[in-house]
Amino acid sequence: MAAGTALVYDGEMSSHKLLWEDPVCDIEVPERLSSCYDRLQHYNLVERCISVSAREGTDSEIMLIHSMDYLETVKGTEKMEEEELQKVSAGYDAVYFHPTTYRCAKLAVGATLQLVDAVMSGKTRNGMALVRPPGHHSQRNAANGFCIFNNVAIAAKYAQRKYNLQRILIVDWDVHHGQGIQYTFDDDPSILYFSWHRFEHQKFWPSLRESNYDAVGQGKGRGFTINIPWNQVGLGNSDYLAAFLHVLLPMAFEFDPELVLISAGYDSGIGDPEGQMNATPECFSHLTHFLMNLAKGKLCAVLEGGYHLRSLSESVCMTLKTLLGDPLPPLSGEMMPCLSARESIQNVRAAHKPYWKCLTYEDVTPLQDLSTRSCQAEEAESTQSNAELLTPQEVGKGNISEVIKTDRFLEMHMKSIIVSLKPPIKTAAAVDESDTHLLPPAVHIPKGLDVKEFKTTISAFDVKLMKEEALSSLLNMLAVLNKIIKKEVINGLAVSSTPSLSSAIAAAHCRKLKVQKILCVFVGDMDMKIELEDGKVLLINICAKQSEQVNTKHNISLNWKEDPETNNFFSATFGFILPVAYSYQPNLTIVIVGPNQNLGKNRISLLISLLQGLAQSQILALIQDTEEKIMQDITNILTGGFIPNFGTYAPDLKENVQMIKELREQFQQEWKLLQCSAASS
Ligand code: Q9C
Ligand code: ZN
């Protein structure tokens, strides 16, 4: 099993710089690269990575995407004087050349390919390449938008050829449309290209018709280009999350890539002068974490844009920290996608319904004519949601400057990154003596329990008739839970013969220790014994048996019909459980795996892996002792292993999808991340 995270960096790529005045290009500065690297060093992240050297991309590698003519043109700039360089630059849209540009662009290509090799050869599981100049706008015959060679497009072609890959996913979270990548793979069904981008009804650069949601690819490639046009600035964490949950992830898991490439531009982050969006650095941790569950974890992130140096470098750090397997930071702000974002999401889902099985049973209402819609209501709404994050004094001042707002967010972020320092031990476990050999050596097994500490918790429950063995396993479970709450470990697992009683006792113990919000996910048919009165628990119950219980905001049952042929559970995971969980923002997650669960171990593993995005990754997994074969898989996930492949995709049963749809409608006012259309509000 491949482990470790590669970091590819070469300071020489800082030599490419603008030599004359040009207000369009002057944001693409050498410090973009050096400030990222400095910040990585500051957080001791460089030393935790496997350092991989850059190299030059070769002519034939560059010509996987670009024409020989264009390559010769770029080569020619190496010997030019400033005046001539200016002339060549003026032949393209938003581009500058420097005598070292050719050398740096070759290093950017080669660095990206070195990363692909590290990951595909199994030298590392994943990694990041910090490169300049960026790539995603450049085209077969043209430089464009600060981009010379299309690093990620070349990497995709290279990986297909060298490693015989059938399916590659490219996620372009840069705030600009990577039209260069789209053009390259427009008719190619083996590359799924996803891009969101500031669009503003085609007013924003590069102002292309083909950046809209109805550009879905051509010929055999129809359905394999996904564009989410953002028609408003000021979008943030919840809008990006909604786009991932309701658009990208269902399609990406259906596509089942063998490699994930990220065109990782951070001009979609807060404070960026180009993007004007509000996503905080933490958001990029979550986006990264979602994608790490695909392709057996094989993921390469390659730097594209990002022009606010502090925001850029913090976001790069969060991406790399996540690749390294650190716990996920909490997300700030109310989880409520805005109307304009929901409208874009709805339109993309509608445009893609013919091509994706995961959308088959979704009724997406007919498209709206975007050009005639007024944005006033949206603007009012977005101003309001920004205002919520400011102090009354700041709001009183009227228009708070973007600079102050960004600084405040980055400050909050710096505090949270210190809080989320990694404990030395990741996982604690309480299992039967006879099962300890099933655990990896790094797992901590608490011993020498302070029984008194747990006595008061347990005494409220009817445990007098319990056998000694069962009682001691309860105490062990509480010891593991205690370590999670005290942040001595990140997560834990406990095997129990009475998981539903154990979970009730665990929840009671959490309350005693003042854990504010607990998310409990039950998988299997069990009695719920958890106290719900005080609203400090959100209970999601995935069961095969129809229950008579009436769903409420904090107690929701999913009656999931068994069907081993088609169950992939993605519609429940992405369409309901994660949106609700992210809306709730718990402080601790407890997953209880009981009898008769019909999801299969891969689905449960995926669910638990994704739930690590919540509650700063603090999870307790409680497993019924009869479900032994699941224990090892869950241990693997909790200790940082990756998700196994899912096999051929088959859509969820119509009645299951229908059930999810109804639940979504029922609860989208309470849990707003469920909203994925403009109709809901
Ligand atoms: N009026 C990347 O982020 N702006 N490129 C042109 C013309 C160009 C961005 C504005 C922005 C290029 C990699
Ligand atoms: Zn960009």
Side-chain angles (χ1 to χ4, degrees), residues 24 27-28 32 93-94 134-137 144-147 174-176 204-205 265 267 274 304-307:
V24 169
I27 53 175
E28 209 288 279
R32 293 184 54 240
D93 184 7
H136 70 152
H137 296 303
N144 182 275
F146 316 153
C147 300
D174 187 284
V175 85
H176 300 96
F204 190 71
W205 187 92
D267 40 16
E274 276 282 308
E304 300 277 3
Y307 308 99

Side-chain angles (χ1 to χ4, degrees), residues 90-150:
Y92 302 107
D93 184 7
V95 173
Y96 68 84
F97 282 91
H98 177 275
T100 66
T101 297
Y102 175 52
R103 162 83 178 154
C104 293
K106 277 191 295 186
L107 283 174
V109 170
T112 306
L113 300 186
Q114 288 281 84
L115 176 59
V116 168
D117 280 334
V119 169
M120 287 313 302
S121 69
K123 181 177 181 191
T124 67
R125 182 187 300 173
N126 56 33
M128 182 161 204
L130 293 178
V131 301
R132 269 182 83 242
H136 70 152
H137 296 303
S138 70
Q139 297 149 40
R140 180 169 167 77
N141 283 306
N144 182 275
F146 316 153
C147 300
I148 309 299
F149 297 139
N150 203 317

Side-chain angles (χ1 to χ4, degrees), residues 27 40 98 130 168 176 185 252 265 424 474 481 502 509 522 626 657:
I27 53 175
L40 289 173
H98 177 275
L130 293 178
I168 298 175
H176 300 96
F185 301 115
L474 262 181
L481 177 62
S502 298
H509 193 63
F522 282 84
T626 54
V657 180

Side-chain angles (χ1 to χ4, degrees), residues 159 167 207 439 517 545:
R167 291 177 314 281
S207 303
L439 302 170
K517 288 190 272 178
K545 265 203 305 232

Side-chain angles (χ1 to χ4, degrees), residues 465-485:
L465 299 175
M466 252 185 165
K467 288 208 191 83
E468 192 163 331
E469 222 175 287
L471 197 59
S472 95
S473 90
L474 262 181
L475 291 172
N476 284 332
M477 181 273 291
L478 284 177
V480 169
L481 177 62
N482 233 24
K483 291 203 173 290
I484 298 172
I485 295 172

Side-chain angles (χ1 to χ4, degrees), residues 500 519-530 532 538-549 551-552 554-560 569 572 576-577 580 590 592-597 599 607 659-660 663:
S500 96
L519 169 65
C520 288
V521 180
F522 282 84
V523 187
D525 291 324
M526 283 168 278
D527 292 333
M528 300 309 123
K529 296 204 170 98
I530 290 188
L532 279 169
L538 166 59
L539 209 152
I540 299 177
N541 178 25
I542 304 150
C543 52
K545 265 203 305 232
Q546 187 83 34
S547 77
E548 350 25 297
Q549 166 239 320
N551 284 330
T552 62
H554 289 100
N555 186 2
I556 305 173
S557 275
L558 273 65
N559 293 125
W560 192 260
F569 203 58
F576 193 80
I577 298 170
V580 170
I590 304 177
I592 305 97
V593 181
N596 301 327
Q597 42 78 20
L599 295 184
L607 183 62
M659 179 268 299
I660 294 297
L663 283 177

